[in-house]
Amino acid sequence: MNRFENMENFIRVVEVGSISGAADRLGVAKSAVSRRLKELEEHLGVELFHRTTRRMNLTDTGRAFYHQCVRILEDTLEAELASAQVHGTLKGGLKIALPSTFGLMHMGPAINEFLQAHPQIEFDLDFNDREVDLMQEGFDLAIRIARLPDSSLIARRLAPIQSIMCASPSYLKKMGTPKTPDELLTHQCLVYSLLHDYEYWHLTDAEGKEFKTKIRPYLKATTGEFIRDAAVADQGIILVPSFIVYKEIERGELIPVLKEYKPLQIDAYAIYPQTRHLSQRVRTFVDFLVKRFEGTPYWDLQIQKLT
Amino acid sequence: MNRFENMENFIRVVEVGSISGAADRLGVAKSAVSRRLKELEEHLGVELFHRTTRRMNLTDTGRAFYHQCVRILEDTLEAELASAQVHGTLKGGLKIALPSTFGLMHMGPAINEFLQAHPQIEFDLDFNDREVDLMQEGFDLAIRIARLPDSSLIARRLAPIQSIMCASPSYLKKMGTPKTPDELLTHQCLVYSLLHDYEYWHLTDAEGKEFKTKIRPYLKATTGEFIRDAAVADQGIILVPSFIVYKEIERGELIPVLKEYKPLQIDAYAIYPQTRHLSQRVRTFVDFLVKRFEGTPYWDLQIQKLT
DNA sequence: AAATACTGTTCATAATATCGCAACAATTGG
DNA sequence: CCAATTGTTGCGATATTATGAACAGTATTT
């Protein structure tokens, strides 16, 4: 039994006032309308109409049920409309805040790919590492790399972000490869000051226990790319997210060190304000991102084996 | 496509977390669940789940749609429950105010008939001609005979009530049969004081125009039956609803007079307060009454030809 | 590391439900 | 009183839907 069609059927009969008329409007045989109405009445065990072979009058029960049917049908259509992709592409703007390095390196290609499917979307991208107030500044969405999501906002985890400690082969040859975290104090450390403490690096030992080890910051920068390039130029040891250095590691320009001590795992999130009616653009884009970054990130596929 | 089953299907998949599990719960093959889910996604043109052959995660779109589906299904089930006769008979009380004469003569048999089908209903009948405050005194329903329904309440028309002017053959023989309304002043009029003015009877002429004619009240009573009996006992001319005197007219004990001048048409109504959730008892009983009194009332079938 | 168990999807077949047509019964309006 | 219209029912044809096995991919276990 198709509850839905039966309701629609019933509504039409009420509004047109006759079975024949409703059948015309619905484009089906009147026998079908009659039978569906009968089915509905049998299902409810109630008479919806007083029938006098030629005339039909709603019963009180029928009238009450009619109003509820109308409301339910409207709700359903609205729900479908709100969720349905209005065929093909989306339109409108999408203002997004995203961290500069991750944004440039990995969100850029993703956004380009999304634009293939939805060329009508106008992206307004703000590459910035400061924390923006989503509501205040009218952002639809922000990409954040953090240890835990901000609970006051909706957060969808996009990808795990693992950091890697590494240095160039030449540097290691010249200065030696550290065997324990303590030895880092004798090395030149290049600090990515956004994600880590200035003077400490947080690690976990073989048993998964957290601890921090003091380092000697030889150079500090808020851009991961800069200290990566510095490390490639034999300037010292860095601790940066793998998504920044994965190519250099694959090419052997940088070599992981102290692999037994895993840096703290953090994550990339898409976050957006809690609004009652989330726009279809945001929903679709976030769905797209979640799917694209699902599983082990492509930047970790190769270097996974090396760590 | 069965929207409803698809929604139910989708909800189950979300709640159980897997297609196989949902299939077990629903008692259908998992292929059916899979296909319906696919149908729903194609209908919306949207991915509801991120799928990884083994694991399924709701998309944002899916989550939003899920909540709306749940609400819609709940509404639907509630609507059906509110309208459905819970198989067989109803239970509970039904407190009804009804006019004494009409109540005794015509509602009595109707209520008895209703009790055949629903013996569990406990009727609490208040035969009374004063206007009761439904809300205040806790009535579920009132039967009223009036010209127009009280607009602040829900009113369902049960039957047309036509009045008849008549007298006994002996009386007419002795005093003469009036030919015009004016002549009524020379007659003994017995007044049913509830429905009509004390000193005027309201009539319509052949063209349907309303007018009132003065009468000389010889006897007044608030009980139709009393003045009917008085008229049968040759006491004078009465103007009463046909449902009171139809048997006497059929038997020839009373004879209509001034048939060309129709008394004003009034109606019998079932009225009840506007509450958000009308009880199923009231609805079913009113539906029953409307159906029972539908068309020309049985008390008018015979005398129709005589007037 | 390999095997196993479990997942979701697909396909052809079978069962089911639904529809339209036509005949019928009942009522209304001229 | 007849004609026209309405709602209901039965039957054959059609379309829809479920089923169960085979398949492909992924965790879990040993």
Side-chain angles (χ1 to χ4, degrees):
Chain A
M1 182 208 53
N2 194 328
R3 277 177 159 94
F4 215 89
E5 279 188 13
N6 278 357
M7 284 187 180
E8 209 167 358
N9 189 70
F10 170 59
I11 287 178
R12 266 288 133 63
V13 174
V14 172
E15 287 175 350
V16 176
S18 77
I19 289 188
S20 303
D24 287 345
R25 280 280 282 278
L26 291 167
V28 294
K30 60 180 180 176
S31 59
V33 177
S34 173
R35 217 162 355 78
R36 294 212 278 221
L37 197 60
K38 190 181 170 189
E39 191 182 44
L40 190 59
E41 286 183 320
E42 278 172 0
H43 172 63
L44 296 176
V46 159
E47 270 194 325
L48 262 14
F49 286 99
H50 289 139
R51 294 157 148 88
T52 59
T53 324
R54 182 144 180 131
R55 188 135 213 87
M56 309 184 60
N57 287 326
L58 264 181
T59 63
D60 280 7
T61 307
R63 189 168 305 110
F65 191 63
Y66 164 74
H67 288 119
Q68 296 182 85
C69 282
V70 169
R71 199 169 54 79
I72 288 168
L73 246 80
E74 282 173 354
D75 283 0
T76 306
L77 262 31
E78 191 194 310
E80 290 189 344
L81 205 68
S83 299
Q85 200 125 310
V86 192
H87 222 57
T89 62
L90 294 171
K91 275 185 207 172
L94 215 44
K95 188 175 176 185
I96 307 177
L98 54 180
S100 48
T101 306
F102 185 74
L104 269 168
M105 292 186 70
H106 301 289
M107 293 298 299
I111 289 171
N112 286 332
E113 192 178 314
F114 188 76
L115 274 172
Q116 304 289 320
H118 304 280
Q120 307 255 44
I121 292 275
E122 291 167 22
F123 278 94
D124 178 356
L125 304 176
D126 182 1
F127 292 91
N128 199 315
D129 289 313
R130 78 194 155 87
E131 287 219 351
V132 296
D133 184 331
L134 287 189
M135 314 285 209
Q136 200 89 28
E137 305 193 33
F139 283 95
D140 295 304
L141 185 70
I143 307 298
R144 295 241 173 103
I145 293 176
R147 183 145 182 212
L148 286 173
D150 184 335
S151 60
S152 74
L153 300 159
I154 308 239
R156 299 274 285 142
R157 183 174 167 281
L158 295 180
I161 304 292
Q162 63 164 318
S163 291
I164 290 188
M165 204 184 301
C166 53
S168 70
S170 306
Y171 172 86
L172 293 176
K173 191 168 182 183
K174 188 173 65 182
M175 304 288 284
T177 299
K179 296 281 179 294
T180 69
D182 295 338
E183 293 180 25
L184 286 173
L185 264 175
T186 68
H187 280 269
Q188 297 172 15
C189 291
L190 314 178
V191 174
Y192 180 38
S193 57
L194 269 179
L195 284 180
H196 306 102
D197 280 359
Y198 280 61
E199 311 213 330
Y200 293 94
W201 281 351
H202 292 251
L203 304 171
T204 56
D205 61 23
E207 285 94 39
K209 210 174 131 209
E210 272 186 43
F211 69 96
K212 60 185 183 180
T213 185
K214 198 168 173 65
I215 51 156
R216 196 160 53 87
Y218 177 69
L219 187 156
K220 292 182 294 194
T222 59
T223 312
E225 287 159 290
F226 185 86
I227 63 166
R228 174 198 63 195
D229 294 344
V232 171
D234 311 324
Q235 294 299 314
I237 298 176
I238 58 176
L239 176 65
V240 291
S242 59
F243 67 79
I244 297 182
V245 293
Y246 71 108
K247 281 183 182 162
E248 284 71 19
I249 290 180
E250 284 173 19
R251 287 198 294 262
E253 294 173 19
L254 291 174
I255 294 173
V257 297
L258 288 173
K259 292 187 286 190
E260 311 78 42
Y261 300 90
K262 298 283 180 203
L264 292 185
Q265 155 106 23
I266 54 182
D267 291 283
Y269 293 95
I271 63 177
Y272 43 87
Q274 261 175 325
T275 55
R276 216 164 54 79
H277 283 307
L278 185 59
S279 89
Q280 183 60 25
R281 296 187 297 284
V282 174
R283 269 210 303 260
T284 307
F285 184 62
V286 174
D287 284 345
F288 168 82
L289 290 180
V290 169
K291 187 172 183 183
R292 192 174 198 278
F293 290 111
E294 173 171 79
T296 302
Y298 53 85
W299 59 78
D300 276 344
L301 284 178
Q302 294 300 319
I303 65 173
Q304 213 167 32
K305 305 160 192 168
L306 306 172
T307 59
Chain B
M1 183 207 53
N2 194 330
R3 279 177 159 92
F4 210 90
E5 278 188 12
N6 278 357
M7 283 187 181
E8 210 167 357
N9 189 70
F10 171 58
I11 287 178
R12 266 289 132 66
V13 174
V14 172
E15 289 175 349
V16 177
S18 77
I19 289 189
S20 303
D24 286 345
R25 281 280 281 278
L26 291 167
V28 293
K30 60 181 179 177
S31 57
V33 177
S34 173
R35 200 183 33 66
R36 294 212 279 218
L37 198 61
K38 189 182 171 189
E39 189 181 46
L40 190 59
E41 286 183 320
E42 277 172 1
H43 173 63
L44 295 175
V46 159
E47 270 195 325
L48 262 15
F49 286 99
H50 290 138
R51 294 158 149 87
T52 59
T53 326
R54 184 146 177 125
R55 187 137 214 85
M56 308 183 62
N57 287 326
L58 264 180
T59 62
D60 281 5
T61 306
R63 189 169 303 109
F65 190 63
Y66 164 73
H67 288 119
Q68 296 182 85
C69 282
V70 168
R71 200 170 52 80
I72 288 168
L73 247 80
E74 281 173 353
D75 284 359
T76 306
L77 262 31
E78 190 194 312
E80 290 188 344
L81 204 68
S83 298
Q85 198 127 312
V86 191
H87 224 56
T89 63
L90 295 171
K91 276 185 206 173
L94 215 44
K95 188 175 177 186
I96 306 178
L98 55 179
S100 48
T101 307
F102 185 75
L104 269 168
M105 293 186 69
H106 302 290
M107 292 299 299
I111 290 171
N112 286 332
E113 192 178 315
F114 188 77
L115 275 172
Q116 303 289 321
H118 304 281
Q120 308 254 42
I121 293 274
E122 291 167 21
F123 279 95
D124 178 355
L125 305 176
D126 183 358
F127 292 93
N128 200 315
D129 289 314
R130 77 193 156 86
E131 287 219 350
V132 297
D133 185 331
L134 289 188
M135 314 284 208
Q136 202 88 29
E137 305 193 31
F139 282 95
D140 295 306
L141 185 70
I143 309 298
R144 293 242 172 102
I145 293 176
R147 183 147 182 211
L148 286 173
D150 184 337
S151 60
S152 74
L153 299 160
I154 309 241
R156 298 275 286 142
R157 184 175 166 280
L158 294 181
I161 303 292
Q162 63 163 316
S163 291
I164 290 188
M165 205 184 299
C166 53
S168 71
S170 306
Y171 172 86
L172 293 176
K173 191 169 181 182
K174 187 173 64 179
M175 304 290 282
T177 299
K179 298 282 179 291
T180 70
D182 295 338
E183 291 180 27
L184 285 174
L185 264 174
T186 68
H187 280 270
Q188 297 172 16
C189 291
L190 315 177
V191 173
Y192 180 37
S193 56
L194 269 179
L195 283 179
H196 307 101
D197 281 359
Y198 279 61
E199 312 213 329
Y200 294 94
W201 280 350
H202 292 252
L203 304 170
T204 56
D205 61 20
E207 286 93 39
K209 211 173 131 211
E210 272 186 40
F211 69 96
K212 59 184 183 180
T213 186
K214 198 168 174 63
I215 51 155
R216 198 158 51 84
Y218 177 68
L219 187 155
K220 292 183 294 194
T222 59
T223 312
E225 287 158 290
F226 185 85
I227 63 166
R228 175 198 63 195
D229 293 344
V232 171
D234 311 324
Q235 294 298 313
I237 298 176
I238 59 174
L239 177 63
V240 291
S242 59
F243 67 76
I244 296 182
V245 293
Y246 72 109
K247 281 184 182 160
E248 283 71 21
I249 290 180
E250 283 174 21
R251 287 199 293 263
E253 293 173 19
L254 291 174
I255 295 173
V257 297
L258 288 173
K259 290 187 288 190
E260 311 77 41
Y261 299 91
K262 298 285 180 203
L264 293 183
Q265 154 105 26
I266 55 180
D267 292 283
Y269 293 95
I271 64 178
Y272 43 87
Q274 261 175 324
T275 54
R276 216 164 56 79
H277 283 306
L278 185 60
S279 87
Q280 183 60 25
R281 297 188 297 282
V282 174
R283 268 210 303 261
T284 306
F285 184 61
V286 173
D287 284 346
F288 168 80
L289 290 180
V290 169
K291 188 171 183 185
R292 192 176 199 276
F293 289 111
E294 173 172 79
T296 303
Y298 54 85
W299 58 80
D300 276 343
L301 284 177
Q302 294 300 319
I303 66 173
Q304 212 165 34
K305 306 158 191 169
L306 305 172
T307 58

